[in-house]
């Protein structure tokens, strides 16, 4: 059974947005700030030839901000600029080369102010006005922790840093506004149609029927096309309205790398009290996220980061506090895992280091603290469903021959001076769907099935297939319920004129939440089925109340369900060059129930490739507000030579509120990669690291230090 | 005027000699199967055959291909070899977002025509100039090795 979109993709004939041309279409290019923080004093435009126009803040019919959560992100900056690359105006016209020439001639005078460039500086200044954008705190009372610490045998403090991660979806961002007399149609590469539609209604100050959003085939998203496209949509729509032509904005790779959102760099501070045997008595975590210049989705990312700050462990007397901090750098945003990868990298690393102190194998140490069914979560929620982690770990220990390898590697490493082998593990989970009551209060998903006179059934939902395969999985669910051949189910690219708001394509929610609604809708349609008659059924999200989530106190069930995973990774480190070679990767997962084996394997392999690379390969840095890696090779995402084949297995553990028991899967697969690869490198070198990515430079530095100490 | 063969047809273009082959293919001849992922020769999404060699069309100025034979994905779409690759990619689950895929298929065809029975390592080497961010490559590697088996005897002929 082929994927729904296979034919068009394999032949390249499926048009992505950059393949589209419409009548009366012009291009847009953005003039961007070259200053990190400052006040715009004047704007001087060159003489524009006939047919070329400039569009800026003055042309925006509505308020000048991109509607996300806060109102702090201008569509076109007109007073202050807050990062290098911030859009100030757009030039539009027919010829891109002429536009680039004109762009060079725009002169903008900006009075420069003292910028905050790094997370470290922001932490120092976190009490200054405007620096802390959001913060949350929860868990054990600090006095209690202090008194525990007083009696502890020792206190371990660690600081851990994670870097940027760039999505590198292979199709750069692109958006087209098609100008019509009575409506603006915005079409492009995107994950969240209604986020864009709401942003457009706000920016154009127009009615619901005046804008329409259509998804184009989307060449990868990974979160990068979650909130960012809303800004591009505002740019092209405002421009189209102003010049009364259709406007296309497509980034080239370097523009995309420099100005689009990335995974938040983070700093995590752990303070853990241990008894004489190395058992954990208490733990506090302070977590700092670098938001960049606008808040965007950062507060929500912080929530997920904090909710995962204890990993898969039941830690006695746990306390956590987190901050979203402003820097004058490119805004960071959604990326597969959404704050969880930073937290899991940190906690897995810390637990591994604690196990060294206790002189116990890291995996044995971690297993002592594994949460079990019925245990409370760190927010006083409950792990009410069965947890298969022990089975999955045991199975993976066998498959990978972990214990034997661990001893063998140590022996071999003594013989081999240059190449050192290591094996590491990671244990992780992912909360499926929106945090807390988000599905009930904010999203309120609605799905529709439409049957035509000739009994063809179409899915009408606002979720995007960006490669993750929902065309296939969701069509399968509907086909099965209706007893129809899968090939006959239609699932056109969504268009807000046709589809209700079933929510954004994020948070590993599509299969579990939208899939369940579709299953119910299909059941309903079947029960009402009338051959040869047009029919329509709608289903609305129903919330199953558990322990109510309270965002203020950070208590209650943060997620309706959790998916789980175990990774084991083997590496070989070249101590001369610091290069790390992946040797073997093993992975077990519980995602409830798999809807399509091939789609699931694709998520595992692709997610792990990104997650592993986040741990040792992909490095992006910013210097005085400028992103330093402007090309794919500067940045270094994995090629086919970096990845090895992955032995993975899925454990069935059906979840009552998912279709056939399915839970979320898309983000989970990324999360375990980085911590497992770090643990494997540490095992090889017998050296702890306090950061990812563990690049060759980091490795060489640590080897020098070690030599110095032992010297 | 620059004259070359595009998918078996003689064509002429008055594009400036510095114009990228990629743009000429896409804009002037409306062949959209050749994609742009980086514009710098780093991703392989724009792969085409120039005189039977796999090349990144984003790096080729049109002025340098006078008289050359250019084949894009559209030019192989009707072939037996493409059919085998199509089926193999589908069967192995090698396609996700699809943006890298036409380039991958071109790289796969190039590899198999030179080495009809590649090992896993040779496949990884053969597609290493083509970036894929979705699949982690393994299912693409499977697709190529499946195509090698399914199309046994087909690849050498070319
Ligand atoms: S677009 Fe030519 S190699 Fe990437
Ligand atoms: S399938 Fe998306 S980049 Fe390869």
């Amino acid at each position: 059974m082929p994927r729904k979109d296979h034919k068009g993709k394999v032949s390249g004939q499926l048009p992505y947005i950059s393949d589209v041309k419409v009548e009366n279409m012009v291009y847009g290019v953005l003039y961007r700030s070259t200053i990190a923080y400052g006040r715009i004093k004047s704007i001087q435009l060159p003489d524009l030839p006939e047919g070329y126009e400039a569009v800026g803040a003055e042309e925006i019919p509505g308020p000048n901000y991109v509607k996300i959560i806060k109102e702090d992100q201008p569509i076109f900056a007109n007073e202050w600029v807050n990062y290098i690359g911030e859009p100030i105006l757009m030039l539009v016209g027919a010829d891109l080369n002429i536009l680039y020439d004109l762009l060079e001639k725009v002169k903008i005078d900006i009075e420069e102010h003292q910028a905050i460039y790094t997370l470290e500086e922001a932490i120092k200044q976190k009490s200054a006005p405007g620096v802390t954008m959001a913060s949350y705190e929860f868990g054990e009372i600090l006095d209690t922790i202090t008194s525990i610490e007083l009696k502890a045998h020792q206190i371990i403090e660690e600081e851990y840093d994670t870097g940027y991660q760039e999505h590198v979806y292979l199709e750069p961002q692109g958006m087209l506004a098609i100008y019509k007399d009575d409506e603006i149609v915005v079409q492009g590469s995107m994950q969240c149609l209604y986020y864009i539609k709401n942003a457009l209604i706000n920016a154009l100050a127009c009615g619901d029927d005046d804008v329409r959003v259509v998804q184009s085939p989307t060449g990868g998203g990974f979160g990068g096309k979650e909130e960012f496209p809303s800004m591009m949509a505002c740019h092209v729509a405002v421009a189209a309205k102003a010049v009364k032509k259709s406007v296309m904005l497509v980034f080239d790779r370097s523009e995309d790398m420099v100005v689009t959102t990335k995974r938040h760099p983070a700093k995590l501070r752990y303070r853990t009290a241990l008894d004489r045997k190395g058992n954990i008595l208490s733990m506090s975590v302070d977590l700092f996220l670098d938001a960049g210049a606008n808040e965007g989705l950062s507060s929500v990312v912080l929530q997920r980061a904090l909710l995962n700050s204890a990993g898969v462990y039941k830690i006695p007397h746990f306390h956590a506090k987190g901050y979203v901090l402003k820097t004058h750098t490119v805004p960071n945003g959604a990326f597969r895992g959404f704050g969880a990868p930073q937290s899991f990298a940190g906690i897995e690393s810390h637990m591994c280091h604690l196990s060294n102190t206790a002189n116990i194998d890291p995996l044995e140490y971690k297993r002592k603290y594994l949460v079990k069914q019925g245990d409370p979560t760190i927010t006083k929620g409950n792990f009410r469903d069965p947890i298969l982690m022990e089975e999955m770990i045991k199975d993976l220990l066998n498959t990978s021959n972990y214990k034997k390898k661990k001893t063998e590697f140590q022996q071999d490493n003594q013989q081999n001076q240059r190449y050192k082998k290591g094996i590491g593990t990671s244990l992780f989970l992912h909360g499926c769907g929106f945090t807390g009551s988000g599905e009930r209060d904010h999203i309120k998903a609605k799905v529709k099935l439409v049957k035509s006179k000739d009994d063809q059934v179409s899915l009408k939902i606002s979720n995007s297939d960006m490669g993750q395969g929902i065309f296939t999985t969701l069509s399968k669910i509907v086909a099965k319920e209706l007893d129809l051949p899968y090939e006959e189910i239609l699932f056109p690219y969504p268009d807000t004129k046709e589809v209700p708001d079933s929510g954004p394509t994020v948070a590993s929610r599509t299969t579990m939440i939208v899939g369940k609604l579709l299953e119910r809708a299909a059941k309903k349609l079947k029960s009402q089925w009338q051959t040869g008659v047009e029919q329509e059924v709608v289903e609305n999200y129903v919330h199953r109340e558990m322990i109510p989530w309270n965002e203020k106190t950070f208590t209650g069930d943060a997620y309706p369900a959790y998916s789980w995973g175990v990774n084991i990774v083997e590496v070989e480190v070249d101590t001369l060059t610091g290069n790390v070679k992946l040797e073997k990767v093993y992975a077990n997962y519980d995602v409830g129930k798999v809807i399509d084996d091939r789609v699931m394997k694709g998520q595992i392999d692709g997610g792990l490739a990104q997650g592993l690379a986040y741990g040792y390969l992909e490095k992006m840095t910013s210097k005085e507000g400028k992103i330093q890696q402007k090309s794919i090779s500067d940045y270094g995402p994995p090629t086919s030579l970096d990845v090895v084949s992955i032995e993975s297995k899925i454990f069935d553990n059906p979840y009552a509120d998912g279709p056939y028991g399915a839970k979320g899967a898309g983000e989970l697969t990324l999360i375990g990669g980085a911590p497992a690869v770090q643990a494997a490198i540490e095992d090889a070198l017998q050296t702890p690291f306090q950061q990812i990515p563990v690049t060759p430079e980091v490795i060489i530095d640590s080897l020098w230090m070690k030599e110095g100490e032992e010297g | 005027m620059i004259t070359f063969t595009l998918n078996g047809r003689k064509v002429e273009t008055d594009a400036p000699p510095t114009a990228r082959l990629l743009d000429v293919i896409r804009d002037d001849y409306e062949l959209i199967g050749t994609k742009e992922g980086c514009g710098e020769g780093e991703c392989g999404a724009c792969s085409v055959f120039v005189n039977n060699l796999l090349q990144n069309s984003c790096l080729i100025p049109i002025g340098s291909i006078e008289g050359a034979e250019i084949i894009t994905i559209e030019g192989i779409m009707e072939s037996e070899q493409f059919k085998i690759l199509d089926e193999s990619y589908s069967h192995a689950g090698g396609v996700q977002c699809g943006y890298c895929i036409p380039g991958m298929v071109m790289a796969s065809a190039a590899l198999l025509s030179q080495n009809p029975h590649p090992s896993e390592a040779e496949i990884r080497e053969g597609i290493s100039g083509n970036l894929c961010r979705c699949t982690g490559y393994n299912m693409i590697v499977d697709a190529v090795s499946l195509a090698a088996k399914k199309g046994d005897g087909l690849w050498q002929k070319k």
Side-chain angles (χ1 to χ4, degrees), chain A residues 170, chain B residues 96-98 100 132-134:
Chain A
L170 203 62
Chain B
Q96 289 194 34
C97 84
C100 70
C132 174
R133 190 56 159 167
C134 300

Side-chain angles (χ1 to χ4, degrees), chain A residues 137-293:
Chain A
E137 182 169 13
F138 65 99
E140 185 59 274
I141 299 161
L142 284 174
D143 284 348
T144 310
I145 291 192
T146 310
S147 64
I148 290 169
E149 287 182 351
L150 280 173
K151 283 180 245 145
H153 171 68
Q154 61 175 327
I155 308 225
I156 305 284
E157 284 189 280
E158 266 200 302
E159 194 167 288
Y160 186 82
D161 294 299
T162 68
Y164 279 116
Q165 190 175 23
E166 166 63 28
H167 305 86
V168 208
Y169 29 69
L170 203 62
E171 179 212 21
Q173 305 258 7
M175 202 64 71
L176 166 68
I178 301 173
Y179 181 78
K180 296 184 182 170
D181 283 341
D182 54 346
E183 68 172 359
I184 300 273
V185 182
V186 170
Q187 190 180 332
S189 195
M190 63 179 74
Q191 296 177 222
C192 309
L193 281 80
Y194 277 90
Y195 281 5
I196 293 179
K197 183 167 177 187
N198 293 334
L200 289 172
I201 290 174
N202 187 63
L204 300 180
C206 67
D208 201 62
D209 289 337
D210 302 332
V211 283
R212 187 171 139 197
V213 179
V214 185
Q215 187 215 346
S216 291
T218 298
F222 317 115
K225 293 169 183 171
E226 177 168 340
E227 79 282 23
F228 188 86
S230 295
M231 175 146 85
M232 292 178 80
C234 289
H235 289 151
V236 290
V238 166
K241 263 226 128 69
V243 305
K244 298 196 167 34
K245 286 180 195 146
S246 298
V247 179
M248 173 80 92
L249 175 63
V250 176
F251 290 169
D252 68 15
R253 179 60 59 186
S254 62
E255 184 170 21
D256 197 301
M257 290 191 69
V258 171
V259 305
T260 66
T261 49
K262 306 168 195 322
R263 190 187 299 292
H264 294 74
K267 186 182 278 299
L268 299 106
R269 288 186 185 144
Y270 298 90
R271 188 178 159 93
T272 303
L274 299 178
D275 72 9
R276 207 165 293 278
K277 289 190 181 134
N279 297 308
I280 300 172
L281 301 175
S282 70
M283 186 186 289
S284 346
V285 182
D286 284 341
L287 202 162
F288 306 90
L289 289 186
D290 179 347

Side-chain angles (χ1 to χ4, degrees), chain A residues 1-3 5-7 9-16 18-19 21 165-172 218-220 222 252-254 335-336 465-468 597-599 601-603 605-607 609-610 613 618 630-635 637-641 643-646, chain B residues 23 26-28 30-40 42-45 73-74 77 82-83 85-105 120-121 123-139 141-142:
Chain A
M1 200 182 67
R3 289 171 68 98
D5 48 5
H6 175 80
K7 270 265 166 299
K9 284 181 171 175
V10 81
S11 63
Q13 301 309 298
L14 185 72
Y16 297 81
S18 56
D19 300 327
K21 283 194 179 107
Q165 190 175 23
E166 166 63 28
H167 305 86
V168 208
Y169 29 69
L170 203 62
E171 179 212 21
T218 298
F222 317 115
D252 68 15
R253 179 60 59 186
S254 62
F335 195 145
R336 196 179 199 173
D465 193 315
M466 53 191 135
Q468 87 282 38
D597 291 331
R598 243 177 352 204
V599 166
K601 184 164 160 41
Q603 289 298 302
D605 285 27
Q610 280 177 1
E618 294 179 17
K630 297 190 170 83
S631 71
I632 289 177
S633 61
D634 283 351
Y635 175 60
T639 71
S640 52
L641 295 171
V643 184
V644 292
S645 86
I646 294 166
Chain B
D23 297 325
R26 289 176 51 82
D27 297 339
D28 300 354
E30 294 182 5
L31 299 171
I32 62 169
T34 309
K35 309 291 183 193
E36 174 165 358
C38 70
E40 299 191 344
E42 296 178 339
C43 78
I73 184 96
E74 287 85 356
M77 245 159 67
F82 178 81
K83 225 180 112 211
L85 283 165
D86 175 354
E87 284 167 16
S88 304
Y89 268 78
S90 176
H91 189 86
V95 178
Q96 289 194 34
C97 84
Y99 202 76
C100 70
I101 295 298
M104 279 289 183
V105 168
E120 185 193 321
I123 297 173
R124 286 188 186 277
E125 184 66 47
I127 59 168
S128 64
N130 292 64
L131 199 77
C132 174
R133 190 56 159 167
C134 300
T135 64
Y137 304 101
N138 296 327
M139 293 165 94
V141 173
D142 293 347

Side-chain angles (χ1 to χ4, degrees), chain A residues 124-135:
Chain A
K124 278 190 207 128
Q125 296 182 42
K126 73 179 189 305
S127 329
V131 177
T132 296
M133 292 170 142
S135 84

Side-chain angles (χ1 to χ4, degrees), chain A residues 446-461:
Chain A
K446 184 187 266 204
V447 306
K448 191 152 88 174
L449 288 177
V450 173
K451 177 166 92 63
S452 65
K453 265 213 186 78
D454 44 14
D455 294 331
Q456 282 234 297
V457 175
S458 312
L459 278 75
K460 301 286 181 183
I461 58 169

